[in-house]
Amino acid sequence: MSIYIESMKEEYAKKILNWTYDKPYEIYNMDNDEENMEELLDGSYYAVVDKKENLIGYFCFGVSAQVPAGNEYGVYNNKEFIDIGLGMRPDLCGKGNGYEFIKSGLEYANKELLEDKIRLTVAEFNTRAISLYEKAGFKRVMEFWRKNKEGDFKFIIMELYLR
């Protein structure tokens, strides 16, 4: 699968806002509202497409990639790292596409954003993603809880040094 990363376009953002992940991954579903549309188009999100411009997923960098509850625990205090967030189209998840996908985002962060210290936040139950991130070289460094009306979730902070 050849994939390319480009600036987020409104047509891609609309599709992402309508993605629906099955349980237990539904915490990654976005509300299809103006606030989320504005965030997707704020310049911190990038579309991942194939050579036919079919939307494969997205990456986001910086504050948009953080889970706000982590600030209470100081997990984002180290400003040497750039945070990366990602989402793959639901019908492509769990089919062996993840490694090439994450590697493309890491390469983009390194070459285009000139970042070599990458941090991500992942829900502890998402063992499929955690295994992928570990395969890509990420190491677990800390964890925190997010408590809200949907329930209590433990999140893991993982870091990667590209150089």
Side-chain angles (χ1 to χ4, degrees):
M1 169 179 13
S2 294
I3 55 179
Y4 309 92
I5 299 175
E6 61 183 58
S7 296
M8 183 62 69
K9 297 176 186 173
E10 188 172 346
E11 67 180 280
Y12 295 143
K14 286 179 181 177
K15 290 178 181 180
I16 291 166
L17 290 176
N18 285 298
W19 287 351
T20 304
Y21 295 96
D22 294 331
K23 290 186 181 210
Y25 306 104
E26 76 274 7
I27 70 162
Y28 299 114
N29 294 338
M30 294 184 188
D31 292 331
N32 188 350
D33 59 22
E34 190 62 33
E35 183 179 340
N36 281 320
M37 175 62 83
E38 288 175 10
E39 182 177 348
L40 285 168
L41 297 173
D42 72 3
S44 64
Y45 282 78
Y46 298 83
V48 181
V49 297
D50 65 15
K51 60 185 172 189
K52 295 180 181 176
E53 294 191 16
N54 294 311
L55 183 63
I56 303 298
Y58 66 86
F59 288 104
C60 62
F61 298 95
V63 174
S64 295
Q66 298 175 355
V67 175
N71 290 310
E72 298 170 34
Y73 300 90
V75 301
Y76 304 117
N77 287 351
N78 187 341
K79 303 302 182 197
E80 292 181 28
F81 285 84
I82 188 168
D83 291 279
I84 186 173
L86 57 134
M88 184 180 283
R89 202 172 73 214
D91 65 306
L92 298 175
C93 293
K95 298 192 172 143
N97 300 311
Y99 189 75
E100 182 181 349
F101 186 80
I102 187 68
K103 285 305 232 183
S104 70
L106 296 174
E107 183 177 300
Y108 187 86
N110 189 239
K111 289 185 178 176
E112 301 297 327
L113 305 177
L114 304 176
E115 299 287 350
D116 62 354
K117 295 177 184 154
I118 314 292
R119 177 174 53 209
L120 62 77
T121 306
V122 59
E124 181 188 46
F125 72 80
N126 195 347
T127 55
R128 182 172 68 188
I130 293 167
S131 294
L132 172 67
Y133 302 149
E134 289 174 338
K135 180 179 177 183
F138 282 89
K139 305 286 184 223
R140 299 173 191 223
V141 295
M142 61 182 83
E143 53 192 43
F144 67 92
W145 285 90
R146 183 189 81 184
K147 301 172 190 270
N148 63 20
K149 63 182 184 260
E150 287 95 35
D152 298 349
F153 294 97
K154 185 188 278 187
F155 286 87
I156 298 170
I157 301 295
M158 302 180 82
E159 296 175 348
L160 172 68
Y161 295 86
L162 294 174
R163 293 186 194 141

